[in-house]
């Protein structure tokens, strides 16, 4: 049953792609040292090909002190020895492409590591200081930060040096912000893009894409100010127009991490001469509620329509509590800042909803991102406090549990040490982790892995047309896709729902009841 696998070689592949996010450190350990690496990824390429994904997005694999999981980059043209070598990265890109899988790398333009040659030279008082934001402090002796900006990880966004000056870091102190008003910063990043495009990557994911440009006066944050001093500034669009010109030389694509509440401002980043796509976070952060999910879907499609850009859909990533755990809470009060809930987790409920959410997201028009381990139904792991490495935990004074719970190394083989990951993992795997192992799930047609494989295979049945909502009871979402031959129905209500007329069942996230009705927290794909 189903449709043939789509042509992955067409120029607009990215508009409807299924893209798998690889957090290398936790994916697979090829050399047995407990850290995931490129050798481990290369060994698992057949698994990824069987899953059916179109591309792999890699979190940073560059040389880094790892003060923020690799998002503190010391050298963009070198692979960190913990992961392998540049030659291995080139082999991985080529081997994946032979299997029809493209590669997307991660670029972190807002900041670099404090071990980057530029910053080390800046600390020595060289002209490289102009490439960052160094300022004298306020107060009678310069003892106060230059302004009131706060770090995304907690605490002031400024650190004072022994010479008395302060430098800006919107994230950790080990991640000094670059001065994007300096032409050398722009030139360097355009050269970095060319470096990786020439090695065969198909695209670039842009971290914290709306934060690069800063008001040159670095003023205090003032409520009601016309322009924010460092978020979504107008001059940033000229940077991305320059980047787009580079990408077009190589038929490369961009996906931006753009968190903005203003939909019109968000859409500006997706104009034809800027970024190709941007992550859609409203869908990911939406609770399990039919009305709110439908609103999120409608708003997402509406904000992309004026610029002709495809929407993106994602349920989880390396910064967010895993889907099974989020959806295993019966309240809707989840706080994404503190990961706090009012009710305990029901993993059975969460798994049922996560299966339904997978069919929902894969049926929507646009591209879909799947974070590693979501296809195995992994829950959020409880990492012992003394093993947490995420700086968000320490800088919040222990209030924020950090993001390591979704970064625990994957289970591959049920009967092997460390569930087949490799050496003793850098983050401990919880007891029972092997029950989620890929080899066990591959042999089970009812597993989460089997569901993802079949859904990705059947996804082309929906066609390329626009979404059309169908009449449905309260708490039920039902839609088709224009000229496609499939209908998606998701029951988020508390009672079974009658299915619309159809030509047969394509795929179901769970069983129907004895009267062939759709049970709560279940989704189906139907032939139209």
């Amino acid at each position: 049953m189903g449709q043939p696998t789509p042509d992955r070689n067409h120029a607009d592949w990215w508009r409807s792609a299924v893209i798998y996010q690889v957090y290398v450190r936790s994916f697979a350990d090829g050399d047995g040292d407990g850290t995931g690496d490129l050798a481990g990824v290369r060994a698992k390429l057949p698994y990824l090909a069987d899953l059916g994904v179109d591309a792999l997005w890699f979190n940073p694999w560059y040389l880094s002190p790892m003060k923020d999981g690799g998002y503190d980059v010391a050298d963009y043209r070198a692979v960190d020895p913990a992961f392998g070598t540049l030659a291995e990265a080139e082999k991985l890109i080529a081997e994946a492409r032979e299997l029809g899988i493209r590669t997307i790398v991660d670029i972190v333009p807002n900041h670099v590591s404090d071990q980057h040659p530029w910053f080390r030279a800046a600390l020595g008082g060289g002209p490289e200081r102009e490439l960052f934001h160094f300022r004298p402090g306020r107060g009678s002796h310069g003892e106060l930060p230059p302004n009131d900006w706060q770090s995304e990880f907690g605490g002031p966004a400024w650190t004072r040096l022994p010479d008395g000056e302060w430098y800006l870091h919107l994230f950790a102190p080990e991640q000094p912000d670059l001065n994007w008003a300096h032409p050398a910063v722009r030139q360097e990043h355009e050269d970095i893009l060319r470096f990786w495009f020439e090695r065969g990557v198909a695209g670039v994911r842009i971290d914290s894409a709306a934060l690069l440009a800063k008001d040159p006066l670095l003023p205090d944050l003032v409520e009601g100010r016309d322009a924010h001093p460092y978020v979504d500034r107008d001059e940033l669009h000229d940077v991305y127009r320059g980047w787009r010109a580079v990408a077009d030389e190589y038929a490369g694509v961009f996906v931006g991490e753009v968190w903005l509440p203003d939909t019109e401002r968000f859409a500006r980043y997706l104009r034809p001469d800027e970024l190709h796509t941007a992550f859609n976070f409203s869908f990911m952060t939406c609770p399990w509620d039919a009305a709110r999910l439908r609103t999120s879907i409608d708003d997402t499609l509406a904000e992309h329509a004026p610029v002709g850009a495809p929407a993106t859909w994602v349920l989880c990533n390396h910064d967010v509590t895993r889907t099974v755990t989020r959806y295993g809470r019966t309240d809707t009060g989840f706080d994404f800042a503190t990961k706090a809930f009012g009710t305990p987790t029901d993993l059975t409920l969460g798994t049922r909803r996560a299966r339904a959410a997978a069919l929902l997201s894969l049926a929507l028009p646009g591209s879909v991102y799947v974070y590693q381990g979501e296809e195995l139904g992994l829950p959020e792991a409880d990492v012992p406090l003394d093993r947490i490495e995420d700086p968000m935990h320490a800088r919040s004074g222990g209030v924020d549990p950090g993001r390591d719970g979704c970064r625990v190394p994957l289970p591959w083989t049920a009967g092997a040490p460390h569930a087949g990951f490799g050496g003793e993992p850098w983050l401990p795997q919880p007891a029972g982790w092997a029950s989620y192992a890929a080899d066990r799930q591959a042999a089970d047609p009812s597993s989460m892995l089997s569901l993802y494989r079949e859904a990705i295979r059947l996804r082309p049945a929906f066609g390329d047309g626009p979404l059309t909502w169908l009449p449905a009871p309260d708490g039920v979402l039902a839609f088709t896709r224009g000229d496609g031959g499939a209908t998606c129905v998701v029951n988020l209500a508390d009672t079974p729902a009658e299915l619309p007329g159809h030509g047969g069942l394509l795929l179901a996230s769970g069983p129907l009841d004895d009267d062939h009705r759709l049970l709560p927290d279940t989704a189906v794909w139907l032939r139209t």
Side-chain angles (χ1 to χ4, degrees):
M1 68 179 173
Q3 303 291 323
T5 301
D7 176 15
R8 294 178 176 177
N9 293 316
H10 61 91
D12 288 341
W13 65 272
W14 49 274
R15 300 186 71 89
S16 59
V18 177
I19 301 166
Y20 187 93
Q21 180 187 352
V22 180
Y23 191 79
V24 179
R25 198 178 185 190
S26 298
F27 185 71
D29 172 17
D31 62 10
D33 66 356
T35 296
D37 47 39
L38 301 189
V41 179
R42 290 174 63 200
K44 300 299 183 184
L45 284 176
Y47 167 88
L48 296 165
D50 287 344
L51 185 58
V53 299
D54 300 294
L56 306 177
W57 157 36
F58 289 90
N59 291 100
W61 57 27
Y62 315 108
L63 184 67
S64 168
M66 297 292 166
K67 298 298 184 181
D68 182 26
Y71 281 87
D72 48 321
V73 179
D75 185 350
Y76 268 115
R77 295 172 179 83
V79 171
D80 195 276
F83 301 143
T85 65
L86 178 59
E88 276 189 290
E90 293 170 339
K91 288 179 181 178
L92 172 55
I93 294 166
E95 290 167 357
R97 193 67 186 88
E98 289 173 2
L99 294 172
I101 302 174
R102 292 172 169 86
T103 297
I104 297 171
V105 295
D106 211 319
I107 297 294
V108 191
N110 180 71
H111 49 263
V112 293
S113 165
D114 62 354
Q115 299 303 305
H116 190 283
W118 279 1
F119 192 70
R120 296 179 72 176
L123 293 180
E128 288 82 1
R129 283 212 170 195
E130 297 179 3
L131 306 177
F132 300 91
H133 299 280
F134 283 86
R135 294 291 188 279
R138 297 191 290 190
S140 56
H141 302 288
E143 72 278 9
L144 300 176
N147 64 30
D148 64 356
W149 298 2
Q150 295 294 296
S151 163
E152 295 289 322
F153 290 167
W158 294 90
T159 290
R160 196 179 192 187
L161 296 170
D163 65 9
E165 285 217 317
W166 299 71
Y167 70 89
L168 175 67
H169 52 84
L170 290 180
F171 293 87
E174 297 85 1
Q175 296 168 293
D177 280 36
L178 289 165
N179 175 16
W180 274 87
H182 198 291
V185 173
R186 288 189 60 164
Q187 184 62 56
E188 169 67 0
H189 281 77
E190 290 179 8
D191 290 346
I192 289 168
L193 294 175
R194 288 190 173 90
F195 180 88
W196 286 105
F197 281 135
E198 287 172 1
R199 276 150 185 81
V201 305
V204 173
R205 179 262 189 185
I206 307 169
D207 181 72
S208 300
L211 301 185
L212 281 57
K214 312 295 194 292
D215 185 324
L217 299 178
L218 301 180
D220 283 345
L221 288 168
V222 176
E223 197 71 33
R225 186 190 299 273
D226 289 341
H228 195 284
Y230 63 82
V231 176
D232 182 36
R233 293 187 59 80
D234 288 342
E235 56 265 38
L236 183 52
H237 295 281
D238 187 55
V239 171
Y240 291 135
R241 281 190 285 270
W243 283 31
R244 180 59 177 261
V246 173
D248 286 349
E249 295 175 23
Y250 301 91
V253 300
F254 291 124
V255 55
E257 183 191 29
V258 182
W259 291 81
L260 293 177
D262 186 319
T263 58
E264 188 275 330
R265 300 284 301 186
F266 173 85
R268 295 179 69 201
Y269 289 85
L270 301 175
R271 290 176 291 195
D273 62 345
E274 294 192 41
L275 308 184
H276 299 76
T277 60
F279 284 129
N280 164 29
F281 294 111
S282 71
F283 181 78
M284 179 179 69
T285 57
C286 195
W288 189 247
D289 177 89
R292 292 176 69 174
L293 278 168
R294 177 166 174 167
T295 297
S296 174
I297 293 167
D298 283 341
D299 289 350
T300 297
L301 296 175
E303 69 190 20
H304 285 74
V307 288
T312 64
W313 311 99
V314 60
L315 296 173
C316 185
N317 64 30
H318 64 294
D319 289 332
V320 174
T321 301
R322 283 200 178 271
T323 309
V324 164
T325 299
R326 292 204 324 273
Y327 285 161
R329 306 286 184 163
T330 54
D331 67 319
T332 58
F334 178 60
D335 183 339
F336 277 84
T338 64
K339 285 84 171 174
F341 291 94
T343 59
T345 300
D346 178 344
L347 291 183
T348 300
L349 173 66
T351 299
R352 191 164 65 245
R353 289 176 171 177
R355 290 173 65 92
L359 294 197
L360 170 60
S361 63
L362 286 163
L364 293 169
S367 57
V368 179
Y369 285 76
V370 178
Y371 177 49
Q372 66 180 41
E374 288 292 289
E375 81 281 11
L376 302 177
L378 296 181
E380 186 82 354
D382 289 326
V383 179
L385 293 180
D386 63 347
R387 295 293 300 275
I388 293 175
E389 296 197 11
D390 185 0
M392 291 186 73
H393 175 69
R395 287 182 64 83
S396 70
V399 174
D400 192 318
R403 300 160 292 179
D404 287 346
C406 66
R407 300 175 179 182
V408 171
L410 298 189
W412 290 101
T413 309
H418 312 302
F421 171 71
E424 182 177 350
W426 68 280
L427 284 176
Q429 296 170 318
W433 207 237
S435 65
Y436 296 97
D439 69 331
R440 178 175 291 180
Q441 294 202 36
D444 179 2
S446 66
S447 69
M448 184 76 84
L449 176 58
S450 295
L451 179 73
Y452 264 90
R453 284 178 172 175
E454 190 68 357
I456 292 171
R457 186 180 75 83
L458 294 174
R459 188 168 179 255
F462 283 91
D464 295 324
L467 182 146
T468 301
W469 293 107
L470 302 177
D474 287 345
V476 177
L477 301 176
F479 60 88
T480 60
R481 292 267 306 279
D483 59 352
T487 297
C488 179
V489 186
V490 188
N491 185 4
L492 297 91
D494 295 329
T495 57
E498 299 287 344
L499 294 176
H502 59 87
L505 183 67
L506 275 173
L507 186 60
S509 68
L512 304 180
D513 73 4
D514 292 341
D515 296 319
H516 302 288
R517 295 179 300 175
L518 189 60
L519 290 169
D521 303 315
T522 307
V524 291
W525 289 358
L526 307 170
R527 291 190 182 90
T528 54

mmCIF file of all heavy atoms in Angstrom, residues 87-111:
data_model
loop_
_atom_site.group_PDB
_atom_site.id
_atom_site.type_symbol
_atom_site.label_atom_id
_atom_site.label_comp_id
_atom_site.label_asym_id
_atom_site.label_seq_id
_atom_site.Cartn_x
_atom_site.Cartn_y
_atom_site.Cartn_z
ATOM 1 N N ALA A 87 38.453 15.298 7.405
ATOM 2 C CA ALA A 87 38.367 14.271 6.360
ATOM 3 C C ALA A 87 37.184 13.336 6.612
ATOM 4 O O ALA A 87 36.484 12.932 5.672
ATOM 5 C CB ALA A 87 39.671 13.475 6.292
ATOM 6 N N GLU A 88 36.940 13.000 7.890
ATOM 7 C CA GLU A 88 35.787 12.147 8.206
ATOM 8 C C GLU A 88 34.473 12.866 7.913
ATOM 9 O O GLU A 88 33.509 12.248 7.441
ATOM 10 C CB GLU A 88 35.830 11.727 9.670
ATOM 11 C CG GLU A 88 36.695 10.522 9.952
ATOM 12 C CD GLU A 88 36.510 10.051 11.379
ATOM 13 O OE1 GLU A 88 36.966 10.764 12.300
ATOM 14 O OE2 GLU A 88 35.931 8.968 11.578
ATOM 15 N N ALA A 89 34.435 14.157 8.215
ATOM 16 C CA ALA A 89 33.223 14.923 7.917
ATOM 17 C C ALA A 89 32.949 14.918 6.415
ATOM 18 O O ALA A 89 31.802 14.758 5.978
ATOM 19 C CB ALA A 89 33.358 16.354 8.429
ATOM 20 N N GLU A 90 33.993 15.083 5.616
ATOM 21 C CA GLU A 90 33.822 15.060 4.169
ATOM 22 C C GLU A 90 33.341 13.692 3.695
ATOM 23 O O GLU A 90 32.482 13.595 2.809
ATOM 24 C CB GLU A 90 35.142 15.447 3.497
ATOM 25 C CG GLU A 90 35.535 16.901 3.739
ATOM 26 C CD GLU A 90 36.944 17.218 3.272
ATOM 27 O OE1 GLU A 90 37.750 16.270 3.131
ATOM 28 O OE2 GLU A 90 37.239 18.405 3.042
ATOM 29 N N LYS A 91 33.875 12.610 4.290
ATOM 30 C CA LYS A 91 33.408 11.271 3.935
ATOM 31 C C LYS A 91 31.951 11.079 4.315
ATOM 32 O O LYS A 91 31.162 10.499 3.557
ATOM 33 C CB LYS A 91 34.277 10.214 4.635
ATOM 34 C CG LYS A 91 35.680 10.079 4.078
ATOM 35 C CD LYS A 91 36.455 9.013 4.857
ATOM 36 C CE LYS A 91 37.874 8.873 4.335
ATOM 37 N NZ LYS A 91 38.651 7.876 5.128
ATOM 38 N N LEU A 92 31.587 11.552 5.493
ATOM 39 C CA LEU A 92 30.206 11.429 5.948
ATOM 40 C C LEU A 92 29.253 12.152 5.010
ATOM 41 O O LEU A 92 28.202 11.608 4.621
ATOM 42 C CB LEU A 92 30.090 11.987 7.368
ATOM 43 C CG LEU A 92 28.685 12.128 7.967
ATOM 44 C CD1 LEU A 92 27.936 10.810 7.923
ATOM 45 C CD2 LEU A 92 28.781 12.658 9.397
ATOM 46 N N ILE A 93 29.601 13.374 4.621
ATOM 47 C CA ILE A 93 28.750 14.135 3.700
ATOM 48 C C ILE A 93 28.579 13.382 2.390
ATOM 49 O O ILE A 93 27.465 13.267 1.859
ATOM 50 C CB ILE A 93 29.365 15.532 3.461
ATOM 51 C CG1 ILE A 93 29.336 16.363 4.747
ATOM 52 C CG2 ILE A 93 28.631 16.263 2.336
ATOM 53 C CD1 ILE A 93 30.222 17.599 4.698
ATOM 54 N N ALA A 94 29.676 12.837 1.873
ATOM 55 C CA ALA A 94 29.630 12.118 0.590
ATOM 56 C C ALA A 94 28.866 10.802 0.709
ATOM 57 O O ALA A 94 28.052 10.463 -0.159
ATOM 58 C CB ALA A 94 31.045 11.872 0.082
ATOM 59 N N GLU A 95 29.117 10.046 1.772
ATOM 60 C CA GLU A 95 28.450 8.750 1.944
ATOM 61 C C GLU A 95 26.950 8.917 2.153
ATOM 62 O O GLU A 95 26.147 8.138 1.629
ATOM 63 C CB GLU A 95 29.075 7.995 3.114
ATOM 64 C CG GLU A 95 30.479 7.507 2.827
ATOM 65 C CD GLU A 95 31.217 7.037 4.062
ATOM 66 O OE1 GLU A 95 30.653 7.139 5.186
ATOM 67 O OE2 GLU A 95 32.363 6.570 3.915
ATOM 68 N N ALA A 96 26.569 9.941 2.904
ATOM 69 C CA ALA A 96 25.145 10.203 3.089
ATOM 70 C C ALA A 96 24.499 10.566 1.755
ATOM 71 O O ALA A 96 23.387 10.098 1.440
ATOM 72 C CB ALA A 96 24.944 11.323 4.106
ATOM 73 N N ARG A 97 25.182 11.380 0.970
ATOM 74 C CA ARG A 97 24.605 11.803 -0.320
ATOM 75 C C ARG A 97 24.419 10.614 -1.257
ATOM 76 O O ARG A 97 23.455 10.582 -2.041
ATOM 77 C CB ARG A 97 25.507 12.863 -0.968
ATOM 78 C CG ARG A 97 24.830 13.589 -2.132
ATOM 79 C CD ARG A 97 23.672 14.434 -1.625
ATOM 80 N NE ARG A 97 22.911 15.029 -2.712
ATOM 81 C CZ ARG A 97 21.885 14.454 -3.335
ATOM 82 N NH1 ARG A 97 21.493 13.232 -2.997
ATOM 83 N NH2 ARG A 97 21.240 15.075 -4.295
ATOM 84 N N GLU A 98 25.328 9.631 -1.183
ATOM 85 C CA GLU A 98 25.171 8.426 -2.003
ATOM 86 C C GLU A 98 23.901 7.664 -1.648
ATOM 87 O O GLU A 98 23.347 6.937 -2.484
ATOM 88 C CB GLU A 98 26.392 7.524 -1.834
ATOM 89 C CG GLU A 98 27.667 8.077 -2.480
ATOM 90 C CD GLU A 98 28.884 7.233 -2.153
ATOM 91 O OE1 GLU A 98 28.718 6.202 -1.448
ATOM 92 O OE2 GLU A 98 29.992 7.602 -2.585
ATOM 93 N N LEU A 99 23.439 7.838 -0.424
ATOM 94 C CA LEU A 99 22.198 7.192 0.021
ATOM 95 C C LEU A 99 20.989 8.107 -0.178
ATOM 96 O O LEU A 99 19.884 7.782 0.274
ATOM 97 C CB LEU A 99 22.323 6.813 1.498
ATOM 98 C CG LEU A 99 23.357 5.731 1.825
ATOM 99 C CD1 LEU A 99 23.514 5.584 3.332
ATOM 100 C CD2 LEU A 99 22.951 4.401 1.199
ATOM 101 N N GLY A 100 21.190 9.241 -0.820
ATOM 102 C CA GLY A 100 20.086 10.168 -1.061
ATOM 103 C C GLY A 100 19.796 11.085 0.107
ATOM 104 O O GLY A 100 18.713 11.681 0.173
ATOM 105 N N ILE A 101 20.748 11.220 1.019
ATOM 106 C CA ILE A 101 20.549 12.027 2.222
ATOM 107 C C ILE A 101 21.487 13.236 2.192
ATOM 108 O O ILE A 101 22.702 13.084 2.100
ATOM 109 C CB ILE A 101 20.819 11.196 3.492
ATOM 110 C CG1 ILE A 101 19.901 9.970 3.536
ATOM 111 C CG2 ILE A 101 20.626 12.045 4.738
ATOM 112 C CD1 ILE A 101 20.203 9.021 4.690
ATOM 113 N N ARG A 102 20.927 14.418 2.253
ATOM 114 C CA ARG A 102 21.720 15.635 2.253
ATOM 115 C C ARG A 102 22.168 15.993 3.671
ATOM 116 O O ARG A 102 21.637 15.476 4.652
ATOM 117 C CB ARG A 102 20.915 16.785 1.645
ATOM 118 C CG ARG A 102 20.648 16.616 0.150
ATOM 119 C CD ARG A 102 19.695 17.691 -0.337
ATOM 120 N NE ARG A 102 19.610 17.737 -1.785
ATOM 121 C CZ ARG A 102 18.793 16.984 -2.521
ATOM 122 N NH1 ARG A 102 17.999 16.099 -1.922
ATOM 123 N NH2 ARG A 102 18.749 17.097 -3.838
ATOM 124 N N THR A 103 23.107 16.941 3.757
ATOM 125 C CA THR A 103 23.673 17.358 5.039
ATOM 126 C C THR A 103 23.454 18.846 5.251
ATOM 127 O O THR A 103 23.697 19.656 4.353
ATOM 128 C CB THR A 103 25.178 17.053 5.099
ATOM 129 O OG1 THR A 103 25.372 15.642 5.010
ATOM 130 C CG2 THR A 103 25.796 17.567 6.385
ATOM 131 N N ILE A 104 23.008 19.188 6.451
ATOM 132 C CA ILE A 104 22.847 20.575 6.884
ATOM 133 C C ILE A 104 23.737 20.770 8.105
ATOM 134 O O ILE A 104 23.667 19.991 9.066
ATOM 135 C CB ILE A 104 21.383 20.877 7.232
ATOM 136 C CG1 ILE A 104 20.486 20.732 5.991
ATOM 137 C CG2 ILE A 104 21.232 22.272 7.835
ATOM 138 C CD1 ILE A 104 18.998 20.814 6.290
ATOM 139 N N VAL A 105 24.600 21.787 8.074
ATOM 140 C CA VAL A 105 25.466 22.070 9.217
ATOM 141 C C VAL A 105 24.930 23.272 9.984
ATOM 142 O O VAL A 105 24.117 24.048 9.483
ATOM 143 C CB VAL A 105 26.926 22.314 8.788
ATOM 144 C CG1 VAL A 105 27.527 21.058 8.195
ATOM 145 C CG2 VAL A 105 27.030 23.489 7.812
ATOM 146 N N ASP A 106 25.401 23.400 11.205
ATOM 147 C CA ASP A 106 24.943 24.445 12.119
ATOM 148 C C ASP A 106 25.975 25.567 12.166
ATOM 149 O O ASP A 106 27.165 25.305 12.343
ATOM 150 C CB ASP A 106 24.780 23.838 13.515
ATOM 151 C CG ASP A 106 23.687 24.489 14.332
ATOM 152 O OD1 ASP A 106 23.581 25.728 14.279
ATOM 153 O OD2 ASP A 106 22.939 23.765 15.013
ATOM 154 N N ILE A 107 25.540 26.812 11.990
ATOM 155 C CA ILE A 107 26.413 27.974 12.102
ATOM 156 C C ILE A 107 25.918 28.833 13.266
ATOM 157 O O ILE A 107 24.712 29.046 13.422
ATOM 158 C CB ILE A 107 26.421 28.796 10.797
ATOM 159 C CG1 ILE A 107 26.996 27.963 9.642
ATOM 160 C CG2 ILE A 107 27.221 30.080 10.975
ATOM 161 C CD1 ILE A 107 28.453 27.615 9.779
ATOM 162 N N VAL A 108 26.855 29.326 14.077
ATOM 163 C CA VAL A 108 26.524 30.108 15.274
ATOM 164 C C VAL A 108 27.092 31.511 15.091
ATOM 165 O O VAL A 108 28.180 31.816 15.586
ATOM 166 C CB VAL A 108 27.110 29.440 16.536
ATOM 167 C CG1 VAL A 108 26.544 30.089 17.798
ATOM 168 C CG2 VAL A 108 26.841 27.944 16.531
ATOM 169 N N PRO A 109 26.403 32.386 14.380
ATOM 170 C CA PRO A 109 27.015 33.671 14.018
ATOM 171 C C PRO A 109 27.007 34.726 15.118
ATOM 172 O O PRO A 109 27.749 35.698 15.027
ATOM 173 C CB PRO A 109 26.164 34.125 12.827
ATOM 174 C CG PRO A 109 24.826 33.497 13.065
ATOM 175 C CD PRO A 109 25.099 32.184 13.728
ATOM 176 N N ASN A 110 26.176 34.568 16.141
ATOM 177 C CA ASN A 110 26.098 35.613 17.164
ATOM 178 C C ASN A 110 27.374 35.715 17.986
ATOM 179 O O ASN A 110 27.751 36.802 18.423
ATOM 180 C CB ASN A 110 24.920 35.350 18.102
ATOM 181 C CG ASN A 110 24.808 36.408 19.175
ATOM 182 O OD1 ASN A 110 24.452 37.547 18.903
ATOM 183 N ND2 ASN A 110 25.139 36.035 20.416
ATOM 184 N N HIS A 111 28.043 34.581 18.212
ATOM 185 C CA HIS A 111 29.185 34.585 19.113
ATOM 186 C C HIS A 111 30.181 33.501 18.725
ATOM 187 O O HIS A 111 29.881 32.642 17.891
ATOM 188 C CB HIS A 111 28.730 34.368 20.563
ATOM 189 C CG HIS A 111 27.801 33.197 20.716
ATOM 190 N ND1 HIS A 111 26.432 33.334 20.751
ATOM 191 C CD2 HIS A 111 28.035 31.858 20.824
ATOM 192 C CE1 HIS A 111 25.872 32.137 20.882
ATOM 193 N NE2 HIS A 111 26.828 31.230 20.927
#
